[in-house]
Amino acid sequence: MSSGRADRPEVRVFAGPESLARAAAEEVLVALGDALGRRSRASWVLPGGSTPRRLYERLASQPEALDWARVELFWTDERCVAPRSPASNFALVRDTLLAKLPLAPDRVHRLRGELPPAEAARLYAAEVAAELERGPFDLVLLGLGADGHTASLFPGPGPVPDGLAAAVKAPFEPRRRVTLTPAALANNRRLVYLVAGRNKAAAVARALDPDHRAEVVSDRIVPRGGTLWLLDREAAAGLSRSRER
Ligand code: 6PG
């Protein structure tokens, strides 16, 4: 499997949302399929937000492409809302993936947004610790906000949350969040960012510029292996060379 080195991420640029979602689905299937070929189970940490919706729908449309019953699902972060709320990251995955793929309920590791945030973080940290005792996450998929945040880790002067999961405050609604920490997110065999839209171009350019990447929170997630960035043309607009596929 190709991957960029930790200090030189691999970047692939796609013309639009469909080709981006197709490439992302391929990445997910290869990473998880490869893991299932080697072990009895595979683990995937997935993001919320709007960008991954098309990816999830595409995966749901080809259920035979993977033995989904052996996949463990975790979330990068959650908004502190009820699971039925349209703002819930769990709800996005429930409606697009869980409703359509044969995922095993006991392998779906939901972050409990309806609980007091510190309690939800404590419970999730224990669940993630148990998973990481078995080995790194096979795939961590992350989005990027226009301000450079990823998961619910926001840029700024505050301390970097430690442990494996933390209750945090976002600078915009929904403010109360629980997020995996950089240490947890970095514990992976494969790290992929999926980013689309012109409003992300400046954050992407900073994240991929060695002189500026410390300004975006993605810099705090130091993976063991390389990082792959899957971008649409608009999110890549601030990059100097054309890398479109
Ligand atoms: C969330 C996320 C978050 C997201 C980015 C990008 O709960 O909002 O997990 O980190 O990935 O904000 O979101 P969009 O895809 O909606 O731009």
Side-chain angles (χ1 to χ4, degrees):
M1 207 187 298
S2 79
S3 67
R5 286 172 17 216
D7 59 341
R8 188 128 50 94
E10 183 186 356
V11 179
R12 296 188 210 150
V13 181
F14 299 87
E18 279 314 307
S19 50
L20 180 66
R22 188 165 57 239
E26 190 56 32
E27 275 302 316
V28 171
L29 293 173
V30 167
L32 299 181
D34 186 59
L36 290 176
R38 293 165 197 270
R39 292 175 292 280
S40 61
R41 61 207 284 290
S43 55
W44 179 19
V45 184
L46 38 65
S50 54
T51 309
R53 175 176 287 276
R54 194 63 207 101
L55 158 66
Y56 299 160
E57 289 170 347
R58 185 170 271 276
L59 289 170
S61 72
Q62 39 180 330
E64 72 298 333
L66 196 76
D67 186 359
W68 286 102
R70 292 196 285 138
V71 175
E72 311 278 334
L73 283 191
F74 290 83
W75 273 254
T76 59
D77 64 319
E78 184 58 279
R79 294 95 180 267
C80 293
V81 295
R84 65 179 176 283
S85 162
S88 158
N89 286 341
F90 169 73
L92 168 69
V93 174
R94 179 195 60 215
D95 296 347
T96 52
L97 288 180
L98 304 183
K100 313 240 164 72
L101 295 175
L103 285 147
D106 60 339
R107 295 184 192 245
V108 175
H109 305 273
R110 181 169 81 80
L111 233 165
R112 281 167 248 180
E114 69 277 24
L115 295 181
E119 170 74 352
R122 191 182 61 74
L123 291 171
Y124 213 52
E127 209 160 332
V128 166
E131 178 64 26
L132 293 177
E133 263 173 35
R134 306 178 72 127
F137 293 123
D138 289 304
L139 174 64
V140 171
L141 182 71
L142 286 165
L144 191 75
D147 61 353
H149 80 265
T150 195
S152 283
L153 297 164
F154 293 85
V160 179
D162 57 7
L164 294 173
V168 291
K169 286 265 169 60
F172 48 80
E173 296 295 336
R175 286 183 188 272
R176 295 191 318 155
R177 314 262 183 127
V178 177
T179 186
L180 291 190
T181 62
L185 292 166
N187 204 331
N188 68 74
R189 293 191 169 92
R190 182 76 167 151
L191 179 64
V192 179
Y193 284 88
L194 177 66
V195 191
R198 174 68 64 158
N199 64 331
K200 310 288 178 64
V204 167
R206 284 202 307 278
L208 289 169
D209 178 344
D211 293 334
H212 290 278
R213 66 183 177 208
E215 295 161 19
V216 290
V217 91
S218 61
D219 186 54
R220 295 175 187 169
I221 300 164
V222 184
R224 299 171 167 208
T227 305
L228 170 65
W229 288 76
L230 298 177
L231 307 173
D232 75 349
R233 187 187 290 170
E234 301 207 318
L239 301 180
S240 47
R241 283 182 293 124
S242 169
R243 317 187 207 204
E244 194 167 314
R245 303 201 159 215

